């Protein structure tokens, strides 16, 4: 059944948005709507323009009869700034400070409308990178990993400290926790990650960066490549064991009495938008 | 700037899809597009028809000048059946069986295209229920919780066995693991869940149901109401401690030697579509 343009526009928008980074060919669309490729091409120009004007993301179109379109999640710098400022305001709250200078963030990392934007923001940074998988550490890194994996449309894998009997054979590494200098062990199910994968490492919170560094060495054990490291929040430390990373917010607490808190934007905007470091 | 219909259709689709279950008023749309409410109403009819015809979900429209529209994720029975059969085929693989009769599922629960459909399917069941939060147990329940929380557009909370210093004050309950009859403790940060919440309990895998039952009693400690319980997979057991739940797949392994596996659809389709138990 031939479809009307208006119906095609609605369905194509859903179809492309729910399959980020995947190329959909003109042929597929022409079949789906029983319409001429020339009409589909016109539809795609409308989508492209609206996606751009409304800050939804980029629609990459490949010309010609063998061409097609691919939706690439991308957040404009203005929206990113507004979002990061919102996060700063929400976290900048003395009641979030826990004994030892820890900060309560679990509520934010359980809210879909925040996670969706975290995912879009981190996907923006790696817009020009091939990524095969996202890696994180259990438990609180999982929501961040799932959010960005969804926008990149790749699987995510969960590294654990405790060996679970439901994971099968695992690969493990020892790592030094950056802050307390204890030696710990982290492991990942062998079956989770194909060898040679290009991996983005993410976590909810980074202090010295021991966990991130541990995950990076685990990627090495799987003969993979670390594409980058990104965290939701970073804390203040005297020395960091990870050189290159991005953070959305920076949280500073007075760990001695556990009351004061100072929250500022992390290095994301500087690293990504200002230095035009979109990894291209 | 007045917008063209085609541009409005594309943007409205994205706008509604990314905010499930939220009512967007005609006034909001009229302002966003500098267009008459009558034009917006016509746009919404187009969206409603296409969402329905393409199985994207339901668009609930409230008539009149004070009205608006709300996108409700809903999966048609045919798509649900196809999806569940796909899951059955993927899990029905002897190499997934681990010693002790456990089954490796982490790869599936790390794939965005699977999680998205798990979320839509579980949201379909509770289409007519008010839900304030989704609760799950760390670590492997998290992806399921996040997926359904996104479609319901409500927060999710993570119950843990180990007390973490970054969670602040917690509420805890003891529970009996159904299979091995050990007494364990699970806890949830006080700050995560407002008292009196209506909660959907989810997990990746249920054997006897001890963890699910523990979470239900934890909801009680927060003076909340359990709206339902749903799991990705259920195993075979002689006795279950939870009476009412839904599962997408049923997994049966021969735990003595750990090789044979039989996977069948869970009770979801029977409970939800056949009994028309859409909780209305």
């Amino acid at each position: 059944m031939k479809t009307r343009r208006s119906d095609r526009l609605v369905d194509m928008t859903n179809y492309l948005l729910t399959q980020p980074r995947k190329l959909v060919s003109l042929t597929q669309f022409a079949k789906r709507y029983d319409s001429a490729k020339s009409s589909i091409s016109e539809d795609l120009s409308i989508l492209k323009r609206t996606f751009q004007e409304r800050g939804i993301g980029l629609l990459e179109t490949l010309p010609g009869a063998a061409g097609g379109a691919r939706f690439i999640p991308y957040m404009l710098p203005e929206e990113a700034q507004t979002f990061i400022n919102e996060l700063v305001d929400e976290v900048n709250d003395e009641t979030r400070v826990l004994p030892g200078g820890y900060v309560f963030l679990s509520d934010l990392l359980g809210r879909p409308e925040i996670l969706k934007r975290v995912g879009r923001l981190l996907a923006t940074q790696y817009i020009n990178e091939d990524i095969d998988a996202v890696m994180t550490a259990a438990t609180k890194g999982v929501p961040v990993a799932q959010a960005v994996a969804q926008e990149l449309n790749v699987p995510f894998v969960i590294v654990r400290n405790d060996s679970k009997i439901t994971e099968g054979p695992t690969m493990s590494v020892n790592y030094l926790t950056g802050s307390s200098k204890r030696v710990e062990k982290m492991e990942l199910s062998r079956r989770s990650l194909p060898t040679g994968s290009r991996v983005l490492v993410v976590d909810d919170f980074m202090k010295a960066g021991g966990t991130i560094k541990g995950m990076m060495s685990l990627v090495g054990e799987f003969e993979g490549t670390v594409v980058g490291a990104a965290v939701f929040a970073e804390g203040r430390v005297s020395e960091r064991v990870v050189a290159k990373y991005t953070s959305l917010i920076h949280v500073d607490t007075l760990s001695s009495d556990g009351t004061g808190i100072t929250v500022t934007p992390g290095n994301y905007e500087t690293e990504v938008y200002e230095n035009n470091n979109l990894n291209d």
Side-chain angles (χ1 to χ4, degrees), chain A residues 105 109 136-137 140-141 144 202-206 230-234:
Chain A
L105 295 173
L109 297 175
T136 195
K140 292 196 293 175
V144 177
V202 304
D203 210 350
D204 61 321
F205 198 87
M206 178 173 79
V231 296
F232 178 75
E234 63 170 314

Side-chain angles (χ1 to χ4, degrees), chain A residues 23-210:
Chain A
L23 181 70
V24 183
S25 70
L26 282 184
T27 312
Q28 275 171 276
F29 276 134
K31 219 171 181 176
R32 185 174 173 90
Y33 305 120
D34 190 19
S35 301
K37 285 186 185 177
S38 55
S39 310
I40 302 290
S41 284
E42 287 168 35
D43 299 341
L44 290 172
S45 323
I46 295 171
L47 262 70
K48 188 177 185 145
R49 185 182 63 220
T50 306
F51 281 15
Q52 192 154 13
E53 281 174 7
R54 295 281 170 181
I56 296 170
L58 305 177
L59 192 71
E60 196 180 277
T61 46
L62 303 178
R70 192 196 324 259
F71 168 62
I72 317 266
Y74 176 78
M75 194 186 281
L76 293 170
E78 300 74 46
E79 187 185 349
Q81 194 180 23
T82 306
F83 175 48
I84 289 172
N85 289 341
E86 265 180 58
L87 292 178
V88 166
D89 287 345
E90 284 236 41
V91 178
N92 206 352
D93 166 0
E94 282 213 352
T95 71
R96 289 188 176 274
V97 183
L98 303 171
Y102 290 96
V103 180
F104 182 76
L105 295 173
S106 300
D107 58 334
L108 300 179
L109 297 175
R111 279 163 51 185
E113 84 282 10
I114 289 185
L115 291 170
K116 174 85 186 165
R117 286 180 289 173
V118 168
R120 287 178 57 215
L121 199 46
L122 296 185
T124 297
Q125 180 176 3
Y126 298 99
I127 198 163
N128 296 310
E129 285 284 353
D130 280 330
I131 294 177
D132 300 314
V134 177
M135 177 184 281
T136 195
T139 295
K140 292 196 293 175
V142 178
V144 177
Q146 183 163 345
V148 62
Q150 189 177 324
E151 303 297 322
L152 296 172
N153 206 1
V154 299
F156 62 94
V157 299
I158 306 171
V159 172
R160 310 177 61 126
N161 281 113
D162 52 341
S163 176
K164 281 282 166 177
I165 48 183
T166 56
E167 290 299 312
T170 62
M171 185 92 89
S172 79
V173 294
N174 295 317
Y175 69 104
L176 208 59
T177 65
S179 9
S180 55
K181 303 286 182 203
R182 272 172 300 125
V183 179
E184 304 243 7
K185 182 179 168 179
M186 58 165 71
E187 52 189 331
L188 177 65
S189 153
R190 289 289 308 256
R191 191 164 171 158
S192 293
L193 186 68
T195 50
S197 296
R198 293 179 52 83
V199 179
L200 171 62
V201 174
V202 304
D203 210 350
D204 61 321
F205 198 87
M206 178 173 79
K207 293 182 87 169

Side-chain angles (χ1 to χ4, degrees), chain A residues 1-12 33-35 39-40 43:
Chain A
M1 182 195 70
K2 242 197 169 74
T3 49
R4 275 169 283 200
R5 159 145 298 149
S6 53
D7 292 15
R8 287 200 306 267
L9 291 174
V10 171
D11 186 64
M12 284 170 107
Y33 305 120
D34 190 19
S35 301
S39 310
I40 302 290
D43 299 341

